[in-house]
């Protein structure tokens, strides 16, 4: 499961190009093997101040290029990422743990290319609000200035692009603070993108919590984009208050899926599985609570078990792997604790539940848990790993009430052979996005954001571009 796989020489040269030659450094370890991936800089608050100052200086000329000039640069950046895609994917696989194949590392880098191109090409025209012969009012969106982007470790490259691409398109400069777990991936991505951008416009500051706190409260930063836990999001809200920053927060989720009694268990099993286990469950908008009607409960459990058995888990550089390790020990311990609590409560472990002992890597086996109460910690807390609780229900009203029973609402899904019936149920669910017969399928053209304590603000599409600008009315 954890066999070391050698990376090619081209990758070694790529990694060397982002390795610091002096200053404080942090050794980054491969979550699959425990081996050294590389050395990342440990930047300070002073480094952040220099980056913000450079961003302030670079932003006006960038804004002056207009949408056409900025879009052209972003399209060139997308081409540059595409040229370096394999080296980026291999670095991502080693640092984050996700396999090259399946909806994982190569998929993530490909998504970076797609989102850069989408941000560059989605039209954003001035809106005429009133034009009645006496009054004319137009709505425009102007650059904010400097945007701070604070990203997570689960999809470090892709989510960074989700943040920086629309910010740059709208005429802003950006300072990125990556997760301390996955800084190399973001540093490498920024190095490639910066081949096509003016100096100082996009910086990555790879530091600790003190750097993130200063970025969130910095008076020269006009907006913070953050993807991560609800607890950290609340801290950012507090840090940003004195400077009245604009915020886009994509926070924790604990997404529910409801399988209606008319669904075909075999037909939906593959999509159900990947809705839950993409990136080994380490996805904010992954399916984390599955509610199945009692009439088809056993059949759904059986079909999911068959899909799980056919999904190999192993070292990310092994071309046969489609599931990888958890990224860090803290997350491994959370998943292990929650599955153990389910076992002790009397829930039935259909598959998995017993992590390998005395082996390198944070591998937790694909785990399906049946006959579990809705208030069990594995259901009520976000596990963020490869363990799916499957809860039986009797009526749709009961399922909807359970799905809405938590204080989060990022995504949800409804599964049915009747899309019209599924949409009626979807309208009753308190979540920012409700998918029908799929889960977690994001699209750069379609706005995405959370409800309740899963955050606020929209990303993607025209609405995502508008969120990175300051609305201005020209009246007259």
């Amino acid at each position: 499961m954890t066999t070391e796989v050698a990376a090619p020489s081209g990758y070694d040269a790529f990694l060397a190009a982002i390795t610091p030659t002096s200053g404080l450094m942090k050794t980054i370890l491969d979550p699959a093997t425990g081996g050294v991936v590389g050395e990342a800089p440990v930047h300070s608050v002073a480094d952040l101040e220099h980056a913000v100052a450079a961003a302030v200086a670079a932003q006006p000329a960038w804004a002056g290029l207009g949408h056409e000039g900025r879009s052209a640069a972003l399209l060139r950046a997308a081409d540059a990422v595409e040229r370096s895609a394999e080296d980026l994917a291999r670095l991502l696989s080693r640092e984050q743990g996700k396999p090259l194949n399946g909806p994982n590392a190569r998929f993530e880098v490909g998504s970076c290319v797609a989102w850069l191109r989408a941000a560059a090409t989605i039209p954003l025209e001035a809106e005429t609000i009133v034009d009645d012969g006496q009054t004319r009012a137009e709505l425009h969106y102007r650059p904010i200035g400097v945007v701070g982007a604070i990203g997570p470790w689960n999809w470090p490259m892709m989510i960074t692009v989700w943040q920086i691409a629309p910010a740059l398109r709208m005429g802003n400069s950006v300072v990125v603070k990556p997760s301390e777990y996955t800084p190399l991936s973001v540093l490498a991505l920024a190095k490639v993108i910066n081949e096509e951008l003016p100096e100082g416009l996009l910086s990555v500051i790879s530091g600790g919590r003190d750097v993130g706190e200063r970025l969130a409260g910095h008076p020269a930063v006009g907006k913070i984009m953050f993807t991560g836990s609800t607890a950290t999001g609340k801290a950012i809200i507090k840090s940003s208050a004195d400077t009245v920053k604009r915020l886009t927060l994509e926070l924790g989720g604990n997404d529910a899926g409801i399988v209606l009694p008319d669904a075909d268990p075999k037909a939906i099993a593959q999509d159900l599985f990947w809705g839950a286990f993409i990136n080994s469950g380490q996805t904010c908008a992954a399916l984390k609570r599955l509610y199945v009607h009692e009439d088809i409960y056993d059949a759904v459990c059986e079909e999911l078990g068959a899909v799980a058995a056919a999904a190999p888990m192993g070292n990310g550089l092994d071309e046969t792997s489609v599931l990888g390790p958890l990224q860090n020990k803290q997350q491994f311990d959370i998943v292990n604790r929650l599955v153990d609590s389910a076992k002790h409560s009397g829930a039935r472990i259909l598959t998995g539940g017993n992590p390998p002992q005395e082996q390198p890597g944070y591998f937790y086996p694909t785990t399906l848990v049946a006959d579990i109460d809705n208030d069990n910690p594995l259901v009520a807390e976000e596990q963020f790993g490869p363990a799916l609780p499957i809860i039986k229900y009797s009526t749709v009203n009961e399922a909807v009430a359970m799905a809405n029973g938590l204080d989060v609402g990022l995504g949800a899904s409804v599964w049915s052979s009747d899309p019209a019936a599924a949409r009626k149920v979807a309208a009753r669910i308190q979540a920012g996005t409700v998918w029908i017969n799929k889960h977690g399928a994001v699209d750069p053209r379609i706005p995405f954001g959370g409800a309740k304590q899963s955050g606020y603000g929209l990303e993607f599409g025209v609405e995502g571009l508008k969120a990175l600008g300051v609305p201005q009315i020209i009246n007259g």
Side-chain angles (χ1 to χ4, degrees), residues 89-179:
R90 288 182 176 275
L91 175 58
L92 175 62
S93 181
R94 292 197 66 206
E95 182 180 48
Q96 201 283 332
K98 64 184 64 182
L100 291 170
N101 291 320
N104 292 298
R106 288 175 177 136
F107 168 84
E108 179 167 348
V109 176
S111 295
C112 291
V113 175
W115 253 264
L116 281 164
R117 288 175 176 156
T121 56
I122 290 173
L124 179 61
E125 306 293 340
E127 300 175 39
T128 301
I129 307 301
V130 176
D131 187 6
D132 61 5
Q134 295 181 335
T135 299
R136 179 177 175 84
E138 293 180 345
L139 173 60
H140 298 258
Y141 287 86
R142 308 303 186 195
I144 295 169
V146 180
V147 172
I150 303 174
W153 49 259
N154 58 333
W155 295 89
M157 290 184 180
M158 185 170 71
I159 290 177
T160 294
V161 168
W162 289 0
Q163 296 170 330
I164 68 175
L168 291 169
R169 160 70 192 279
M170 294 301 290
N172 306 294
S173 55
V174 189
V175 178
V176 178
K177 195 277 181 193
S179 166

Side-chain angles (χ1 to χ4, degrees), residues 23-362:
L24 290 176
M25 288 180 271
K26 177 182 179 180
T27 301
I28 303 298
L29 302 180
D30 187 331
T33 66
V36 174
V37 177
E39 300 292 329
V42 180
H43 292 131
S44 66
V45 171
D47 295 320
L48 173 68
E49 296 292 347
H50 288 304
V52 171
V56 170
Q59 188 270 329
W62 175 251
L65 291 177
H67 284 291
E68 184 176 346
R70 296 192 298 265
S71 292
L74 288 176
L75 289 172
R76 292 193 300 270
D79 293 342
V81 172
E82 195 165 50
R83 288 192 298 270
S84 297
E86 186 63 14
D87 287 333
L88 287 169
R90 288 182 176 275
L91 175 58
L92 175 62
S93 181
R94 292 197 66 206
E95 182 180 48
Q96 201 283 332
K98 64 184 64 182
L100 291 170
N101 291 320
N104 292 298
R106 288 175 177 136
F107 168 84
E108 179 167 348
V109 176
S111 295
C112 291
V113 175
W115 253 264
L116 281 164
R117 288 175 176 156
T121 56
I122 290 173
L124 179 61
E125 306 293 340
E127 300 175 39
T128 301
I129 307 301
V130 176
D131 187 6
D132 61 5
Q134 295 181 335
T135 299
R136 179 177 175 84
E138 293 180 345
L139 173 60
H140 298 258
Y141 287 86
R142 308 303 186 195
I144 295 169
V146 180
V147 172
I150 303 174
W153 49 259
N154 58 333
W155 295 89
M157 290 184 180
M158 185 170 71
I159 290 177
T160 294
V161 168
W162 289 0
Q163 296 170 330
I164 68 175
L168 291 169
R169 160 70 192 279
M170 294 301 290
N172 306 294
S173 55
V174 189
V175 178
V176 178
K177 195 277 181 193
S179 166
E180 294 174 71
Y181 288 114
T182 53
L184 296 175
S185 298
V186 178
L187 286 161
L189 177 70
K191 177 184 181 301
V192 173
I193 292 175
N194 272 329
E195 295 172 5
E196 302 296 341
L197 297 180
E199 185 175 353
L201 190 70
L202 170 64
S203 299
V204 177
I205 299 299
S206 171
R209 181 176 296 181
D210 58 336
V211 169
E213 290 175 351
R214 176 57 177 162
L215 182 60
H218 201 293
V221 176
K223 173 156 186 163
I224 293 291
M225 300 189 75
F226 171 72
T227 297
S229 71
T230 298
T232 303
K234 290 177 179 179
I236 288 172
I237 293 169
K238 293 175 183 177
S239 297
S240 68
D242 287 344
T243 51
V244 196
K245 287 188 185 1
R246 289 159 175 80
L247 298 174
T248 295
L249 304 175
E250 195 258 87
L251 306 180
N254 194 346
D255 287 13
I258 298 176
V259 181
L260 299 182
D262 68 343
D264 180 342
K266 190 174 186 64
I268 65 174
Q270 191 78 222
D271 289 335
L272 272 177
F273 179 85
W274 285 112
F277 291 98
I278 185 172
N279 197 25
S280 294
Q282 300 167 109
T283 299
C284 294
L287 173 56
K288 300 189 177 79
R289 301 175 285 148
L290 182 61
Y291 298 96
V292 182
H293 192 271
E294 58 190 5
D295 289 353
I296 57 171
Y297 184 84
D298 291 339
V300 169
C301 289
E302 181 179 352
E303 295 295 343
L304 277 173
V307 177
M313 176 180 286
N315 188 303
L317 296 183
D318 184 337
E319 297 280 357
T320 66
S321 299
V322 294
L323 296 169
L326 289 160
Q327 203 285 323
N328 55 78
K329 186 177 187 302
Q330 179 181 6
Q331 198 57 45
F332 179 93
D333 290 343
I334 290 171
V335 175
N336 200 32
R337 170 180 61 83
L338 291 172
V339 174
D340 281 349
S341 76
K343 289 181 188 175
H344 295 151
S345 74
R348 180 163 53 103
I349 306 298
L350 298 176
T351 185
N354 291 304
Q357 301 296 316
E358 299 179 356
Q359 289 187 356
Y362 302 123

Side-chain angles (χ1 to χ4, degrees), residues 162 225-227 247-253 255 284-285 408-412 429-435 441-443 446-461 463-464 467:
W162 289 0
M225 300 189 75
F226 171 72
T227 297
L247 298 174
T248 295
L249 304 175
E250 195 258 87
L251 306 180
D255 287 13
C284 294
V408 290
L410 185 57
I429 297 177
Q430 298 164 359
T433 299
V434 184
W435 291 277
V442 293
D443 184 310
I446 300 173
F448 178 72
K452 298 193 278 190
Q453 292 194 31
S454 287
Y456 45 72
L458 289 172
E459 299 176 271
F460 314 160
E463 297 304 320

